[in-house]
Amino acid sequence: MSADARRLALLGGEPLFAATLHVGRPNIGDRTRLLQRFNDMLDRRWLSNNGPFVQEFERAIEKYLGVRHAICVCNATIGLEIAIRAADLKGEVIVPAYTFVATAHALQWQEITPVFADMDPATHNLDPARVERHITPRTTAILGTHVWGRPCAVEPLQEIAKRRGLKLMFDAAHAFGCSDGARMVGGFGLAEVFSFHATKFLNSFEGGAITTNDDALAHRIRLMTNFGFAGFDNVIHIGTNGKMTEASALMGLTSLEGIDHLISVNRANYGVYRENLAGIPGLSLISYDPAVLNNYQYVVVEVDDSVTPLNRDELVSVLHAENVLARKYFWPGVHRMEPYRSLFPHAGLLLPDTQRIAPRVIVLPTGTGVNGEDIARVCGCIRLALENATEVRQKLASTRPA
Ligand SMILES: Cc1ncc(COP(=O)(O)O)c(C=O)c1O
């Protein structure tokens, strides 16, 4: 049924989708290759501890990104913790408030204070001018996030870091396959950390990689990822267990072989969203610069409810009723999550753009689990909801707990 010939599920109609359409539904690479590698792993009985698939995945990442070192880890959160510790960050580190909570947790976990800086509303990334305002004598570093895979303002941040004697590092969890100009994300700052979590465009079930061009830092990171072992029985450094398993590495490796396909599916899906959401007043789909590389993994819509008859939360409720699990990333902003909300109750005063944009963002499903027809139906449902806004509002008000 076409979306506009139907009644919204919220208003009593049948849901658009029988099976839930998730944001971040995992991409699965070539199944034959995957199972072949799985069998190889089982035959070898080498499941962890820097196995051949981890080594192969690391070399493949280094080649793809053009970096000297890639160190695979069990997830990006541990990767951030290790990179932060290996680079000796301490005191205060400036981070975006508009990021996944792990960026700040990786610091706070190590008793380093995250100091939240505001975004540039045009890019959702750290605004370098605002970063500068937060520098104090305790500041040791800037940790930027390439939000949605769109690269941070790398050069201005580099310039500030250099001039103010700070270290620079990036949370590149979203940004595998993305570039800033001709340079791939992966080689900026002291180190960058990617996530290969199942929801990421390239996944290894769970996993991540720390990339760096600094040989000494890479050496420390390797040691720290494996308890500080430098050979059997020889522990020469403080460390943790951040190792990636062979099962994760073979999944990541197989995903990486299919990366061009994954990007082309995401790019095509993004195009269908653009076409189908065009001309709706108050809705804007974030754009990706066609002159640089993007992975198009995030279909992000800003809802300006001074223009639209429904706000972001109301639209999300409509979509959830249709079994479209749209998400509100990264609402309400890390500064409003614990422990930061209690530690820094007034942080929001210096984050006007994060406070303004975070309640507007909807992330919509994409990836190989979603096709153009699905997307047209999701967009049709958004239009239908806006056309029936009065009824939707009344229904939501009547179901809201008193
Ligand atoms: C910006 C950002 N940083 C860090 C992470 C943490 O990644 P992982 O789940 O691999 O620990 C995520 C995951 O969603 C993220 O979006």
Side-chain angles (χ1 to χ4, degrees), residues 267-279:
R267 194 195 297 114
N269 284 350
Y270 173 83
V272 182
Y273 273 113
R274 182 159 279 295
E275 225 170 85
N276 281 270
L277 293 175

Side-chain angles (χ1 to χ4, degrees), residues 57 73 196-198 202-208 244 247-249 251-252 255:
F57 190 30
V73 284
F196 304 136
H197 180 256
L202 188 140
N203 87 84
S204 64
F205 304 121
E206 288 266 5
M244 177 180 271
S248 282
M251 179 70 167
S255 300

Side-chain angles (χ1 to χ4, degrees), residues 75-77 80 99-100 102-103 145 171 173-174 195 197 200 207 330:
N75 60 58
T77 307
L80 282 164
T99 179
F100 184 61
T103 320
T145 300
D171 177 338
H174 299 183
S195 172
H197 180 256
K200 297 296 185 287
F330 297 105

Side-chain angles (χ1 to χ4, degrees), residues 343-357:
L343 289 171
F344 317 114
H346 305 299
L349 295 173
L350 292 175
L351 301 164
D353 282 316
T354 302
Q355 302 259 82
R356 188 170 58 82
I357 301 288

Side-chain angles (χ1 to χ4, degrees), residues 314-371:
E314 290 164 332
L315 277 173
V316 166
S317 296
V318 166
L319 290 167
H320 282 193
E322 306 289 353
N323 286 333
V324 178
L325 207 67
R327 300 293 307 273
K328 304 180 192 176
Y329 295 161
F330 297 105
W331 188 77
V334 180
H335 64 297
R336 290 177 62 196
M337 298 174 181
E338 292 296 355
Y340 314 107
R341 185 172 53 182
S342 297
L343 289 171
F344 317 114
H346 305 299
L349 295 173
L350 292 175
L351 301 164
D353 282 316
T354 302
Q355 302 259 82
R356 188 170 58 82
I357 301 288
R360 288 184 171 190
V361 166
I362 302 184
V363 179
L364 295 168
T366 188
T368 52
V370 181
N371 61 38

Side-chain angles (χ1 to χ4, degrees), residues 275-289:
E275 225 170 85
N276 281 270
L277 293 175
I280 303 181
L283 288 198
S284 47
L285 179 63
I286 65 156
S287 57
Y288 289 102
D289 179 355

